[in-house]
Amino acid sequence: MRTQQRTSDDDERALADLAEVSDWKRVWGPPETGLDAIRALVSRVTAATGWRPWAPGNIDPSRYTWGLVTPRQTVMLVLPDAVLPDSPRSGWSAYEIAPEEVGDAEDGLDDHWPEQLELARRYWGQPVFVGPGSDPRIPLEWRGRRRHLAVWLRPGAEMHLYATQPEATPATTSAGFGYSVYASEVA
């Protein structure tokens, strides 16, 4: 297994960009494809966030996602019901994990989780949930895929910070931390 530790600059920019969106309900829309659907997605997100499309003239009509760039130069992949930062991840990560090294990768994630959580708290405040990815309160589609999970609620959204769960079978080749925003009717 190989590991790397990068500065938190990319994550700090992306966390700040996501924190500035006050009402996520204005971002979400139907999962449609085609030129009109992509244009509507880009227009909706631009109006709600101030982000600009990364390739305004090259729309692929078979897509239902699009990349937008924030004022801090973070590229956000926008789906009808989720936003995923597409910038290089910073912080700690492991890669080229052999099946017998899964425990070492888990230990690294456990060791670095508190600093990732503190970084997210700096921008997003206190989460409504912090726990293991196996917690029975986590919906089935997420349970077991995350080693650690923290959730923040915003109008129209759940913001997730997580550590991936490395597995020996099927073999996980990399593990690290990520964050995403998902549409929510509850928040």
Side-chain angles (χ1 to χ4, degrees), residues 64-151:
Y64 65 95
T65 66
W66 203 250
L68 286 97
V69 181
T70 70
R72 291 180 182 88
Q73 303 306 304
T74 303
V75 176
M76 300 287 186
L77 179 62
V78 181
L79 290 80
D81 61 354
V83 172
L84 314 166
D86 195 31
S87 60
R89 298 286 191 246
S90 53
W92 185 89
S93 63
Y95 57 101
E96 296 179 11
I97 304 169
E100 64 274 7
E101 296 171 318
V102 166
D104 294 334
E106 290 175 334
D107 290 345
L109 292 168
D110 295 348
D111 291 345
H112 293 277
W113 173 249
E115 65 199 54
Q116 287 296 126
L117 183 56
E118 184 54 36
L119 179 64
R121 281 182 172 139
R122 227 180 295 156
Y123 293 95
W124 297 350
Q126 291 301 319
V128 296
F129 173 84
V130 177
S134 59
D135 189 297
R137 293 173 289 177
I138 296 173
L140 285 175
E141 66 263 23
W142 298 111
R143 196 174 316 148
R145 293 177 43 201
R146 311 289 192 226
R147 180 153 185 85
H148 299 284
L149 177 65
V151 177

Side-chain angles (χ1 to χ4, degrees), residues 3-11 87-93 95 115-116:
T3 63
Q4 62 184 356
Q5 177 74 47
R6 297 186 201 164
T7 68
S8 63
D9 295 348
D10 287 339
D11 286 340
S87 60
R89 298 286 191 246
S90 53
W92 185 89
S93 63
Y95 57 101
E115 65 199 54
Q116 287 296 126

Side-chain angles (χ1 to χ4, degrees), residues 22-25 28 153-158 181-187:
S22 60
D23 185 0
W24 287 92
K25 291 178 278 192
W28 313 127
L153 299 178
R154 297 292 185 268
E158 285 188 16
V181 180
Y182 302 97
S184 169
E185 295 179 23
V186 178

